[in-house]
Amino acid sequence: MSDYCGTGGSEAAREAPEAPARAEGPPFAECVLCQKPTEYPESYKGITLCPVCEWQEGQRNACSG
């Protein structure tokens, strides 16, 4: 029987996803909420948040139940 969630006990399923690469120097991507510089390079694909907005988003998600 296949494990639908992919948590069938394999070592790969339990590993945490890799963190996105941090930029070594400018140019930095802009935060999608406040347009301040982030820690991510401009070439990073996906949603980029500055440390403040990232923390606030984490707080919202933690309290959402």
Side-chain angles (χ1 to χ4, degrees), residues 3-28:
D3 187 14
Y4 180 75
C5 295
T7 58
S10 70
E11 192 64 32
R14 284 185 254 142
E15 291 180 11
E18 290 185 29
R22 303 287 184 192
E24 295 293 323
F28 296 107

Side-chain angles (χ1 to χ4, degrees), residues 15-64:
E15 291 180 11
E18 290 185 29
R22 303 287 184 192
E24 295 293 323
F28 296 107
E30 289 184 350
C31 176
V32 296
L33 300 176
C34 68
Q35 282 67 49
K36 291 184 180 177
T38 66
E39 299 174 344
Y40 304 104
E42 279 188 343
S43 61
Y44 180 74
K45 303 240 187 291
I47 296 173
T48 54
L49 299 174
C50 70
V52 173
C53 291
E54 196 168 339
W55 180 83
Q56 290 173 342
E57 187 70 20
Q59 291 288 68
R60 280 189 222 106
N61 288 335
C63 296
S64 65

